[in-house]
Amino acid sequence: MPSTDAFARLERTVRLLALTLGTLITIAVPAGFGLQTYFDDSRTRQFQAKLMAERVSQYVYVQGPLWRFTSHKVTELISFAMLPDDAARAVVSDAAGTVVVSLGEAVPGPRYSVREPIVLRAETFGYVTLEASLNPVLASLGMFALI
């Protein structure tokens, strides 16, 4: 009967290995997909914020320290990088942290933000902060996990 015990131990080991491997794959693959989706979205938002900051820095060069008081022009400058149906919010603030302009609605639920400085002649004049919702990332992760 020692061979029967050996087969029972082997069967238990194989089942435990299969369960562990299945659980690991079930968790790791969607988590990896979710991280990749988040990093892609984050890089896109970082690029948008950089475009906005460069546009505003060109305006700061022309306008000088009075750029903060022309919020309508700053809004016009940063709106080109936002899509019409974009669920993001752009906030431009000066170096002291005072909000100059805010474009878009407040982002509900889980969100993340990227920040890009407004730099001119090696001096930081302000920041562009772009807030985006994590809901699309979580929704695509949920759909992938169901598959």
Side-chain angles (χ1 to χ4, degrees):
M1 294 283 190
S3 64
T4 311
D5 290 339
F7 283 128
R9 279 196 314 265
L10 180 61
E11 183 181 1
R12 249 191 328 264
T13 304
V14 169
R15 285 180 189 260
L16 182 63
L17 183 63
L19 179 66
T20 304
L21 196 59
T23 304
L24 184 65
I25 289 173
T26 302
I27 293 171
V29 171
F33 175 77
L35 282 173
Q36 185 63 39
T37 304
Y38 166 74
F39 288 139
D40 287 347
D41 197 42
S42 178
R43 280 190 292 260
T44 301
R45 297 298 181 183
Q46 189 73 39
F47 180 68
Q48 282 179 313
K50 186 177 178 93
L51 288 175
M52 291 177 188
E54 286 177 1
R55 265 295 196 50
V56 174
S57 70
Q58 291 171 357
Y59 184 65
V60 170
Y61 177 75
V62 172
Q63 202 63 16
L66 300 176
W67 75 273
R68 299 182 320 246
F69 305 109
T70 54
S71 61
H72 63 284
K73 183 64 176 174
V74 175
T75 302
E76 183 181 317
L77 289 170
I78 65 171
S79 65
F80 83 98
M82 300 279 286
L83 297 173
D85 59 345
D86 203 354
R89 178 180 182 208
V91 178
V92 178
S93 56
D94 62 5
T98 307
V99 174
V100 175
V101 71
S102 176
L103 179 65
E105 298 292 321
V107 179
R111 62 182 175 269
Y112 68 95
S113 63
V114 293
R115 188 175 185 192
E116 194 69 33
I118 301 169
V119 179
L120 178 64
R121 294 185 298 256
E123 184 180 346
T124 301
F125 282 85
Y127 297 94
V128 173
T129 306
L130 195 60
E131 296 177 349
S133 176
L134 279 174
N135 287 337
V137 174
L138 295 175
S140 65
L141 177 62
M143 292 300 290
F144 185 77
L146 288 176
I147 294 174

